[in-house]
Amino acid sequence: MVNKVGNIFIVGIGPGDRQMMTDEAFSAMEDADVIVGYTVYIDLVKNVFADKRFFTTPMRQEVERCRACFDFALQGENVAFICSGDAGVYGMAAPMYELLPEYVSKGFPADNILVIPGVTAAISGAAVLGAPINHDFCVISLSDLLTPWEVIEKRLKAAIDGDFAIALYNPSSKKRSDYLKRACQIMLDAGADENRACGYVENIGRDGTKSTVCTLSQLKDTEVNMFTTVFIGNSKSEIIEGKLVTKRGYLI
Amino acid sequence: MVNKVGNIFIVGIGPGDRQMMTDEAFSAMEDADVIVGYTVYIDLVKNVFADKRFFTTPMRQEVERCRACFDFALQGENVAFICSGDAGVYGMAAPMYELLPEYVSKGFPADNILVIPGVTAAISGAAVLGAPINHDFCVISLSDLLTPWEVIEKRLKAAIDGDFAIALYNPSSKKRSDYLKRACQIMLDAGADENRACGYVENIGRDGTKSTVCTLSQLKDTEVNMFTTVFIGNSKSEIIEGKLVTKRGYLI
């Protein structure tokens, strides 16, 4: 007897709070036989789905996590593969599609994968700060674990050249405590004014959410933790009533 | 007797489908005395909240729509001001904060405004296409209604210089039917390969969702409608099993 192959939903769960999750994301977890994810994200949903089976792998074992999803599905199980924020923004959608051809050759139907979008930190963090990305914007990760620093540097320069508002992901970690400082210096050298309006948000959608607005030169001397998303306004952004606002142009 | 001032929730409702809305967004509409928005968006939620009061203004009357929210709140009413996608991505969060100081001087408490994030088209469209923005990316609107075309052109060039994946909003309208063609030519002139992996999605999260993958030179000769979001991969993006995938780097 041949097992029916299961479905894999790659689910963006948002910042973690049920209130900031879409119904589609919630249903995918509810309908799954097994919920797969990084330990920290599994902990965010474990209480809500107490009766589910969970499969976690630690950091740096992302590819093993992807393979586990295909293996479960090939055994006939429906899988919810969860990512914080959105599954397609620095999430696991891309590696899953990169592995897909290999599993298609093993009998996995390509259409059995579906990405379920979620609220990524650029969006949820922006809502806390006001309206920092209300015009054209870039999202850049400062993590050089998988991306050469020269590429990150090139993108920071291009973002200033194009006068984009910017959301910075992974602005810090134990090994990269000075990366935000370096990034700010690159943006200043690229011509951004030291008084450029900026801000950052810690623990978005979780206990202890905290937001701060500041100038680019103040940001350069700020130490943020790894649970922080940083926003750089464009050249016309302003701090209004304590909020970071990048104008769309409806009001002159 | 002085009225208690109401709250204004600026709500990103996602593409429109209830399944792709957050609970927080749904609750804000449920709890509101009046739901304000552009006619097209109000139509998306009118059936769900049949017993609510609605206030709409047509296109080009965005500022009047913002002012109506403050006026309702000053009369003691709780307002849900809805935007499609996310309220802070080309949405009404910025103009609301721009008007805020004027209404604070009329007695509106600055803290009575809250932005509720939603799934913007870059995220929901990406989920349909696969994983087009799974690494650093830019979001650019091709509408020159409020932004000079030279600024849009500068940003398109910068996005290619920085080798970002790109999501293009407002790629077309009756008056701007050749704007996508022009944008593609700018990107080609900036050094993007004519075989760059691209794609586009029509009617995201609504009836008739349709996605297509293609090369940049094919995209240049494609006519899309105003309900389309367009994606340009970065230099390393690939079409895999019919999906547009921008690699994160987990697999070499």
Side-chain angles (χ1 to χ4, degrees):
Chain A
M1 202 182 99
V2 180
N3 275 329
K4 190 174 175 298
V5 177
N7 290 305
I8 302 174
F9 296 98
I10 314 173
V11 183
I13 63 169
D17 189 288
R18 169 70 184 96
Q19 283 289 306
M20 296 175 81
M21 209 174 275
T22 68
D23 270 23
E24 195 177 33
F26 191 85
S27 300
M29 286 185 274
E30 211 167 36
D31 297 345
D33 298 305
V34 56
I35 301 179
V36 176
Y38 173 42
T39 320
V40 174
Y41 309 151
I42 292 288
D43 286 344
L44 288 171
V45 300
K46 217 163 188 171
N47 295 333
V48 185
F49 300 101
D51 58 336
K52 291 284 171 192
R53 280 168 47 219
F54 293 96
F55 180 85
T56 74
T57 66
M59 201 145 70
R60 307 284 182 101
Q61 298 197 14
E62 289 83 6
V63 177
E64 290 76 1
R65 217 179 295 152
C66 292
R67 291 191 180 282
C69 293
F70 284 111
D71 292 337
F72 283 123
L74 283 170
Q75 288 158 30
E77 307 209 68
N78 288 316
V79 181
F81 186 11
I82 64 170
C83 305
S84 78
D86 178 60
V89 174
Y90 307 112
M92 305 311 284
M96 286 298 285
Y97 281 111
E98 287 177 69
L99 289 170
L100 181 58
E102 177 185 333
Y103 286 92
V104 165
S105 73
K106 292 179 184 172
F108 183 88
D111 288 344
N112 278 29
I113 287 193
L114 192 71
V115 181
I116 296 181
V119 174
T120 186
I123 306 291
S124 55
V128 177
L129 271 178
I133 55 169
N134 214 117
H135 207 307
D136 304 327
F137 67 97
C138 292
V139 176
I140 303 173
S141 167
L142 293 191
S143 168
D144 61 353
L145 220 55
L146 301 169
T147 306
W149 179 256
E150 303 74 58
V151 173
I152 298 170
E153 187 164 338
K154 179 175 78 169
R155 287 183 179 153
L156 290 166
K157 281 181 187 159
I160 295 299
D161 287 346
D163 197 17
F164 287 95
I166 306 166
L168 295 179
Y169 282 46
N170 305 310
S172 183
S173 78
K174 274 182 201 163
K175 289 188 185 162
R176 302 182 286 104
S177 61
D178 68 330
Y179 278 31
L180 179 58
K181 193 186 218 22
R182 289 164 64 179
C184 289
Q185 190 58 54
I186 290 163
M187 292 187 280
L188 288 165
D189 292 345
D193 191 277
E194 59 176 15
N195 291 314
R196 177 79 62 105
C198 297
Y200 53 96
V201 190
E202 285 166 60
N203 300 315
I204 303 166
R206 303 180 193 173
D207 288 341
T209 302
K210 194 186 154 203
S211 71
T212 309
V213 293
C214 59
T215 65
L216 183 52
S217 62
Q218 286 168 336
L219 184 66
K220 193 186 148 204
D221 293 323
T222 300
E223 283 208 14
V224 300
N225 64 31
M226 59 186 295
F227 303 106
T228 304
T229 306
V230 172
F231 293 83
I232 323 290
N234 70 19
S235 64
K236 292 188 178 140
S237 300
E238 286 179 24
I239 311 288
I240 301 175
E241 300 283 344
K243 298 288 182 177
L244 176 54
V245 181
T246 297
K247 300 176 176 186
R248 177 75 180 99
Y250 292 114
L251 296 119
I252 306 305
Chain B
M1 203 181 98
V2 180
N3 275 327
K4 190 173 175 299
V5 178
N7 289 306
I8 302 174
F9 296 98
I10 314 174
V11 183
I13 63 168
D17 188 290
R18 170 69 183 98
Q19 284 288 306
M20 296 175 80
M21 210 174 277
T22 68
D23 271 23
E24 196 177 34
F26 191 84
S27 300
M29 286 186 274
E30 212 167 36
D31 297 345
D33 298 306
V34 56
I35 300 179
V36 176
Y38 173 43
T39 320
V40 174
Y41 308 150
I42 291 288
D43 286 345
L44 289 171
V45 300
K46 217 164 189 170
N47 295 333
V48 185
F49 301 101
D51 58 336
K52 292 283 172 193
R53 281 167 48 218
F54 294 95
F55 180 86
T56 74
T57 66
M59 200 147 71
R60 306 285 183 101
Q61 297 196 15
E62 290 83 7
V63 177
E64 290 76 2
R65 217 179 295 150
C66 292
R67 291 190 179 281
C69 292
F70 284 110
D71 291 337
F72 283 124
L74 283 170
Q75 288 159 29
E77 307 209 68
N78 288 317
V79 181
F81 185 12
I82 64 171
C83 305
S84 78
D86 177 60
V89 175
Y90 308 112
M92 305 311 285
M96 286 299 285
Y97 281 112
E98 288 177 70
L99 289 170
L100 181 58
E102 176 185 334
Y103 286 91
V104 165
S105 74
K106 292 179 184 173
F108 182 87
D111 288 344
N112 278 29
I113 286 192
L114 193 72
V115 181
I116 296 181
V119 174
T120 185
I123 305 290
S124 55
V128 177
L129 271 178
I133 54 169
N134 213 117
H135 207 307
D136 305 325
F137 67 97
C138 292
V139 176
I140 303 172
S141 166
L142 294 190
S143 168
D144 61 353
L145 220 55
L146 302 169
T147 306
W149 178 256
E150 303 75 56
V151 173
I152 298 169
E153 186 163 338
K154 179 175 77 169
R155 287 183 177 151
L156 290 166
K157 280 181 188 159
I160 296 300
D161 287 346
D163 197 18
F164 288 94
I166 306 166
L168 295 179
Y169 282 46
N170 305 309
S172 183
S173 77
K174 273 181 201 161
K175 289 188 184 161
R176 301 183 287 105
S177 61
D178 68 332
Y179 277 31
L180 179 59
K181 193 186 221 21
R182 287 164 65 180
C184 290
Q185 190 58 55
I186 290 163
M187 292 187 280
L188 288 165
D189 292 345
D193 191 276
E194 60 176 17
N195 292 315
R196 177 78 63 106
C198 297
Y200 52 97
V201 189
E202 286 167 61
N203 300 315
I204 302 165
R206 303 181 192 172
D207 288 341
T209 302
K210 194 186 153 203
S211 71
T212 310
V213 293
C214 60
T215 65
L216 183 52
S217 61
Q218 287 168 336
L219 183 66
K220 193 186 148 200
D221 294 323
T222 300
E223 283 209 14
V224 300
N225 64 31
M226 59 187 295
F227 303 106
T228 304
T229 306
V230 172
F231 293 83
I232 322 291
N234 70 19
S235 63
K236 292 187 179 142
S237 301
E238 286 180 24
I239 311 289
I240 301 175
E241 299 283 344
K243 297 288 183 178
L244 176 53
V245 181
T246 298
K247 299 176 178 186
R248 177 75 179 99
Y250 292 114
L251 296 119
I252 307 303

